[in-house]
Amino acid sequence: MDLSALQMEKLADLLRAPEPEVLQGEDFPATNYEVTSNRDTKVSQNQDVSKYPKTIEEFEQQEAEEAENMGKVGFGAGDRKTPEYTMNYQQSVSAEDVFLQMGPKTPSSASCENLVVRVMMPGDKKENVDLSVDKNSVTINSSQYYLKLMLPHEINPDNSKASWDGAKDILLLTLKLDREFDFVNF
């Protein structure tokens, strides 16, 4: 079998390793930085390994403890607690909505007019509570509690109401929702 010089060059090209499409380490210019890894090194004795959970149950327990600690002194503003609260939607209905089912309202929250926020503040008094309400948030500041609550919908602060239940130490906020008139729900 007799091969010419051109055929030999083409055969050599076929047998040569292909050029890399991705830049390799030696293709980059040298820098003064050193890359190190601590993957295989042991953890030093001064690091607390016990704070890292090893199982899902430990992780969930740790999250529950952190959530419980958020309600204690030191997690509010300064040394004040974050109070417990609930948020519910309130809908004004008439007889035609309930009994005759002729009104345009639906049972969904889209037909609600108010957002009712109940803030449990045991041990506090009405005189100690400073309440600030704007379109997107409510801020409650007292001698024992602090709460900055972002609202899910814009409200009309001028048409909203606040009341204090002295027997249960609950601050009740009835916040008028500020929604566009949509010809279906209002």
Side-chain angles (χ1 to χ4, degrees):
M1 194 165 153
D2 196 19
L3 296 175
S4 68
L6 182 61
Q7 290 175 338
M8 289 293 276
E9 287 179 23
K10 288 188 179 187
L11 183 60
D13 286 341
L14 286 175
L15 296 175
R16 188 176 307 134
E19 292 290 326
E21 294 179 11
V22 179
L23 293 176
Q24 300 297 322
E26 33 309 318
D27 296 332
F28 291 113
T31 62
N32 294 334
Y33 299 107
E34 182 180 337
V35 179
T36 60
S37 172
N38 60 359
R39 178 178 288 183
D40 295 329
T41 60
K42 291 187 177 183
V43 178
S44 64
Q45 298 297 346
N46 58 0
Q47 290 182 349
D48 186 14
V49 181
S50 63
K51 70 178 180 178
Y52 300 111
K54 293 181 176 52
T55 64
I56 292 175
E57 290 81 14
E58 289 177 5
F59 176 75
E60 289 173 349
Q61 181 181 5
Q62 188 178 21
E63 277 193 337
E65 288 172 2
E66 287 175 3
E68 183 179 327
N69 288 338
M70 286 181 69
K72 294 183 179 176
V73 174
F75 281 85
D79 60 344
R80 292 173 286 174
K81 300 178 189 175
T82 302
E84 293 182 26
Y85 63 91
T86 60
M87 292 177 25
N88 299 85
Y89 289 100
Q90 183 182 44
Q91 189 178 86
S92 300
V93 293
S94 65
E96 76 176 13
D97 294 323
V98 176
F99 297 111
L100 302 175
Q101 297 178 355
M102 293 173 51
K105 295 192 178 187
T106 65
S108 72
S109 63
S111 296
C112 295
E113 291 88 14
N114 297 318
L115 179 65
V116 178
V117 180
R118 286 180 180 80
V119 183
M120 285 59 97
M121 302 175 74
D124 222 338
K125 296 181 182 175
K126 175 182 175 181
E127 296 81 29
N128 297 338
V129 177
D130 181 30
L131 177 65
S132 174
V133 180
D134 62 12
K135 286 180 100 38
N136 298 314
S137 67
V138 172
T139 305
I140 300 170
N141 211 349
S142 76
S143 59
Q144 296 182 20
Y145 299 97
Y146 177 82
L147 177 66
K148 173 83 172 175
L149 182 63
M150 300 307 293
L151 301 172
H153 300 287
E154 285 191 1
I155 62 162
N156 186 345
D158 298 329
N159 294 339
S160 299
K161 295 184 263 182
S163 62
W164 179 262
D165 183 359
K168 298 178 184 175
D169 293 337
I170 293 178
L171 178 63
L172 179 66
L173 306 173
T174 305
L175 307 171
K176 182 75 172 169
L177 294 173
D178 189 18
R179 296 191 180 178
E180 293 183 26
F181 187 65
D182 64 359
F183 297 106
V184 175
N185 296 317
F186 299 104

